Amino acid sequence: MKLPIAKGNKRALLVEGGGMKGAFAGGVLHGLNSVLTAKNFDLVVGVSSGACSAAYYVTMDKPEPEKSKNALSVWYKELSGRQLISLFHPLRGKTFLDQEYLIDFIFREKVRLESENFETNGLPEFRIAVSNLQSHSIEYVKATTSNVFDLLKAATSLPIATRGKHKLEGVTYSDAAILNPLPLQDLIEAGYKDITVVMNSPMERVSEPLGFLTGLLAFPRNWKLSKLMREFHHHHFNDARRIAKEPPAGVKIHTIAPDDSLPVGLVTTIGQKLKETVDLGVQKGEDAARFLFEMFFPKGKSEKGKRSSRKKDSTRAGKGKHPSPNKSYVKSKLSPAPKKTSKKAVSSKKK
């Protein structure tokens, strides 16, 4: 499943994953919700743990501080300690990362994801990126009330930490990050000209190729996929950051990213560090929301008039008095139309 083609001036939001580093993205989306709800985007795409935070964000058509705060607290209250990740889980018949606890208990029951709100009251389409283990390509599956929980299990099927795969409608999927952790190029190819990207590591971060042993442990029975993961994961990670810094002609990219390495890593479960990470994201998100609101609505237009005046707003964005795009909370780039178009990055789809 490909991304929906953008017709006209469409805005997209892309949320990166990264295991427990997704706590930063969760904080950013909470901060955005206070000023800039999901209704201000035409499409939201979530990758890996980024899809978990984005799932809550796309269910709120207006600022809902308490509901958003409750969803955000999942990161440092419900996922800390040995609740989600533990070396002892296999002794109890579980995987290291307990997806049943995360999806079936937290998302379905304790902090219920109100999936019935998807695409209602002007909310955008929500696509979750996953790796198709049969075609060895990235797919963007539309989240619905009926499939979202299985889809989130597929999106968080991190090899080694989980079973590494999950079936949805007869197709076996895994975490999209194994092939493309930040599919920015795919959004550009689908025609989106105004893209906001939430990254969970600094823009300057460079990813090294995954080692042979990592690939072997991830997919011991699928050498081809193991090779593709080692070949494409770091390539797309680094290429997306290059594109964010130097967008193609006519494409505007707003990047929200931490200034430095986060207090947490891929599998950190220390509650205090997770809370610190969340708080960093909230601060960035609140500042970015004010900046983006002025970019999206330079004349102070309300969300109500967003759809009808999208084309006019888009052509005027960037004019007038706005905060400097070099502020640490958001880096906004718009490339002028050069005589020679920039070379396209390698697409994540190999079909």
Side-chain angles (χ1 to χ4, degrees), residues 60-79:
M60 292 176 272
D61 64 340
K62 59 182 181 295
E64 298 192 49
E66 290 306 312
K67 184 184 292 186
S68 181
K69 186 177 180 180
N70 191 36
L72 183 61
S73 70
V74 167
W75 283 100
Y76 54 88
K77 288 184 178 180
E78 312 299 340
L79 307 186

Side-chain angles (χ1 to χ4, degrees), residues 17-281:
M20 303 307 284
K21 290 188 288 185
F24 177 82
V28 168
L29 296 180
H30 173 76
L32 288 181
N33 179 258
S34 64
V35 176
L36 205 69
T37 66
K39 292 172 68 174
N40 288 280
F41 299 97
D42 298 286
L43 176 70
V44 174
V45 179
V47 180
S48 194
S49 62
C52 295
S53 293
Y56 284 111
Y57 180 65
V58 298
T59 64
M60 292 176 272
D61 64 340
K62 59 182 181 295
E64 298 192 49
E66 290 306 312
K67 184 184 292 186
S68 181
K69 186 177 180 180
N70 191 36
L72 183 61
S73 70
V74 167
W75 283 100
Y76 54 88
K77 288 184 178 180
E78 312 299 340
L79 307 186
S80 60
R82 297 177 180 175
Q83 299 177 97
L84 176 66
I85 303 172
S86 174
L87 292 174
F88 297 103
H89 278 167
L91 300 177
R92 301 169 62 186
K94 302 177 181 180
T95 53
F96 293 114
L97 189 155
D98 188 354
Q99 288 181 293
E100 284 67 32
Y101 169 78
L102 176 65
I103 308 299
D104 295 332
F105 178 59
I106 299 299
F107 279 77
R108 284 184 184 269
E109 299 179 17
K110 190 166 186 179
V111 186
R112 195 177 78 83
L113 175 66
E114 297 176 352
S115 59
E116 64 273 13
N117 291 345
F118 286 166
E119 293 189 67
T120 61
N121 300 319
L123 286 167
E125 185 171 329
F126 179 36
R127 296 283 182 127
I128 296 180
V130 286
S131 293
N132 185 321
L133 297 187
Q134 293 160 244
S135 64
H136 298 163
S137 64
I138 297 294
E139 291 189 8
Y140 302 93
V141 183
K142 182 177 179 178
T144 65
T145 302
S146 61
N147 76 1
V148 65
F149 298 109
D150 278 319
L151 190 49
L152 286 172
K153 281 187 178 179
T156 57
S157 289
L158 186 68
I160 303 175
T162 71
R163 298 176 185 86
K165 58 184 179 181
H166 187 78
K167 274 198 172 185
L168 176 64
E169 297 180 359
V171 181
T172 305
Y173 293 110
S174 185
D175 191 328
I178 65 175
L179 296 178
N180 191 342
L182 196 61
L184 180 55
Q185 177 66 22
D186 286 355
L187 277 169
I188 293 172
E189 290 181 357
Y192 293 87
K193 304 296 184 183
D194 195 322
I195 306 170
T196 300
V197 185
V198 180
M199 297 181 181
N200 289 319
S201 58
M203 279 189 70
E204 294 72 23
R205 166 80 187 278
V206 175
S207 176
E208 298 297 329
L210 297 174
F212 176 80
L213 182 59
T214 300
L216 180 63
L217 291 174
F219 297 102
R221 298 181 181 180
N222 193 329
W223 284 66
K224 182 177 180 180
L225 191 58
S226 173
K227 181 180 179 181
L228 289 173
M229 183 178 77
R230 289 185 285 113
E231 181 179 348
F232 286 117
H233 173 85
H234 73 285
H235 167 78
H236 287 298
F237 180 97
N238 297 332
D239 202 53
R241 280 160 169 75
R242 178 192 64 79
I243 294 171
K245 294 176 184 176
E246 302 174 3
V251 176
K252 185 184 297 182
I253 298 176
H254 317 283
T255 303
I256 308 170
D259 298 320
D260 303 300
S261 296
L262 294 172
V264 299
L266 190 68
V267 294
T268 301
T269 58
I270 300 171
Q272 182 180 351
K273 290 189 175 183
L274 288 167
K275 183 62 166 62
E276 289 175 17
T277 302
V278 160
D279 290 342
L280 286 171

